[in-house]
């Protein structure tokens, strides 16, 4: 059975706070752990009023401390924003606190706008072009120390924290294949190159000390409810959020709106449908059918499920319905 995992952006809903979003994140992590999900990842974004996971490693530690067995990690850390040594120390610390439970997904996008990127780094010398070298440097910090290594990560050295390459283009696929690392594709919001990237990764994959054969995870939206109509209503929150982002009005996650797509400016409909095409929206039977079709088409080894649902209880219920539809085995 294809593994199911969770990607949480720690959404701040309209009128709520970051503190409440983080509390919701902990509850969702505990809930999905009991339901049998494999891992729980948080993503780095900055200057986004609707996302509470900017200090990603801090929130990962909080979630790992509130759970028992589920793997917890970054999906991902935007490496151009940081020095590899700092990330090695942060995730070496997490791996020391929570052995065999921490993952590190790495992306080369800034996760924000150019002005905010500069505010994060205070210079413009670090950019996406150095991403491959930065990944190799970071892997070196996690490996067994050598006599030639003048700088080491303490903690981190020798811990071999699992590293993933994230991407939404062919670039990340090529890098993951060359380094023999697992690959996660951001098809939950940028699915355009999914099929080509996965095919390229599998074709060029070189076995490594980290992985002996290709391993692909894909992002996938699931909005499950007791009826198809209710699920489509929940789905309207992320549709609104995408329009707001594309029009320069990014904000907190809005409440659902009845008939939103039907009354939307026709200019936005094609781009929203394309961006959110890797989604399952409906009751248990509907989402199982849509999810199975996606897995059959792509052959992915794991689905990283995300759900930007306004109402927290509806979000918890959506993941419960998904677990039941997929036949996950809950904790005893």
């Amino acid at each position: 059975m294809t593994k199911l995992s969770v990607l949480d952006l720690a959404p701040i809903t309209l009128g709520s706070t970051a503190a409440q979003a983080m509390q919701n994140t902990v509850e969702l992590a505990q809930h999905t752990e009991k339901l049998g999900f494999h891992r729980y990842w948080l993503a780095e974004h900055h200057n986004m009023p609707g996302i509470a996971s900017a200090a990603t490693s801090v929130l990962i530690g909080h979630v790992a401390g509130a759970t028992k067995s589920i793997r917890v990690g970054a999906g991902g850390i935007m490496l151009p924003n940081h020095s590899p040594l700092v990330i090695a120390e942060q995730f070496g610390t997490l791996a020391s606190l929570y052995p065999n439970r921490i993952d590190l997904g790495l992306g080369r996008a800034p996760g924000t706008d150019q002005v905010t990127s500069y505010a994060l780094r205070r210079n413009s010398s670090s950019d996406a072009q150095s991403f491959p070298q930065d990944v190799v440097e970071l892997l070196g910090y996690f490996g067994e120390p050598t006599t030639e290594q003048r700088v080491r990560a303490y903690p981190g050295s020798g811990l071999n924290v699992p590293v993933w390459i994230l991407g939404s283009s062919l670039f990340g696929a090529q890098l993951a294949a060359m380094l023999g690392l697992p690959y996660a594709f951001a098809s939950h919001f940028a699915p355009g190159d999914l099929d080509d990237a996965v095919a390229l990764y599998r074709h060029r994959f070189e076995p490594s000390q980290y992985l002996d054969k290709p391993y692909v995870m894909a992002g996938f939206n699931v909005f499950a409810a007791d009826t198809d109509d209710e699920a489509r209503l929940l789905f309207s929150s992320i549709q609104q959020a995408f329009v707001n982002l594309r029009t320069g009005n990014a904000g907190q996650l809005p409440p659902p709106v009845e008939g939103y797509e039907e009354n939307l400016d026709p200019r936005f409909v094609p781009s929203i449908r394309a961006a959110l095409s890797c989604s399952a929206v409906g009751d248990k039977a509907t989402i199982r059918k849509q999810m199975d079709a996606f897995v059959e088409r792509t052959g992915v080894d794991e689905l990283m499920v995300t759900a930007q649902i306004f109402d927290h209880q509806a979000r918890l219920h959506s993941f419960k319905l998904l677990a039941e539809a997929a036949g996950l085995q809950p904790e005893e």
Side-chain angles (χ1 to χ4, degrees):
M1 185 178 70
T2 305
K3 291 181 179 177
L4 289 183
S5 295
V6 182
L7 174 63
D8 182 12
L9 300 184
I12 306 173
T13 56
L14 189 64
S16 188
T17 64
Q20 183 61 56
M22 294 175 195
Q23 181 178 327
N24 292 346
T25 282
V26 169
E27 290 181 6
L28 181 61
Q30 294 170 334
H31 180 64
T32 51
E33 178 179 61
K34 292 176 182 177
L35 290 172
F37 285 80
H38 184 57
R39 56 182 111 235
Y40 195 98
W41 281 8
L42 294 140
E44 177 187 349
H45 292 83
H46 301 281
N47 199 26
M48 299 285 284
I51 296 177
S53 54
T56 317
S57 59
V58 178
L59 194 52
I60 287 171
H62 185 55
V63 170
T67 51
K68 298 176 181 177
S69 59
I70 194 169
R71 298 193 65 86
V72 186
I77 291 293
M78 302 298 106
L79 198 52
N81 296 337
H82 314 276
S83 78
L85 177 59
V86 168
I87 296 304
E89 291 171 340
Q90 289 178 1
F91 280 78
T93 299
L94 290 168
S96 298
L97 290 168
Y98 309 103
N100 302 314
R101 291 185 57 204
I102 300 299
D103 299 323
L104 173 55
L106 299 172
R108 71 181 182 120
T112 189
D113 56 85
Q114 290 184 343
V115 175
T116 307
S117 294
Y118 181 81
L120 284 164
R121 297 190 297 243
R122 291 296 181 186
N123 65 73
S124 57
S125 61
S126 176
D127 59 37
Q129 302 308 313
S130 63
F131 181 64
Q133 294 85 356
D134 288 346
V135 172
V136 171
E137 180 182 344
L138 180 51
L139 289 170
Y141 290 131
F142 287 142
E144 294 299 328
T146 65
T147 55
E148 297 82 14
Q149 195 174 26
R150 297 180 61 188
V151 178
R152 300 176 184 177
Y154 296 117
S157 184
L159 293 184
N160 295 307
V161 176
V163 172
W164 294 65
I165 299 297
L166 313 185
S168 59
S169 69
L170 302 185
F171 182 93
Q174 294 179 75
L175 180 61
M178 181 181 69
L179 296 177
L181 294 173
Y183 180 54
F185 193 91
S187 38
H188 58 294
F189 74 92
D193 289 332
L194 171 63
D195 295 324
D196 290 340
V198 170
L200 179 65
Y201 168 70
R202 288 176 174 147
H203 178 69
R204 296 193 180 180
F205 181 84
E206 299 180 18
S208 69
Q209 67 188 86
Y210 312 108
L211 202 62
D212 60 356
K213 61 181 180 180
Y215 192 93
V216 179
M217 176 161 56
F220 194 68
N221 300 289
V222 174
F223 289 73
D226 293 329
T227 67
D228 287 355
D229 287 342
E230 184 183 353
R232 282 191 290 268
L233 178 61
L234 298 177
F235 190 54
S236 67
S237 287
I238 190 63
Q239 291 175 311
Q240 294 175 71
F242 262 87
V243 171
N244 292 342
L245 182 63
R246 298 288 170 86
T247 55
N249 298 305
Q252 296 177 324
L253 184 69
V257 173
E258 194 79 49
Y260 176 75
E261 185 174 335
E262 290 81 351
N263 296 304
L264 181 61
D265 186 326
R267 293 176 299 172
F268 297 119
V269 173
S271 61
I272 291 180
R273 288 182 176 174
L276 300 175
S277 61
C278 294
S279 301
V281 182
D283 64 12
K284 278 201 298 188
T286 300
I287 63 167
R288 179 60 192 257
K289 181 179 179 180
Q290 294 171 342
M291 187 170 59
D292 285 350
F294 179 80
V295 171
E296 183 177 356
R297 177 172 71 83
T298 60
V300 296
D301 302 286
E302 188 169 342
L303 283 184
M304 177 62 73
V305 175
T306 187
Q308 298 277 70
I309 295 175
F310 181 82
D311 181 79
H312 181 54
Q313 294 305 315
R315 193 175 186 218
L316 296 176
H317 187 53
S318 177
F319 277 98
K320 182 176 183 293
L321 293 175
L322 169 59
E324 292 172 354
L328 294 187
Q329 297 299 316
E331 284 189 349
E332 295 296 334

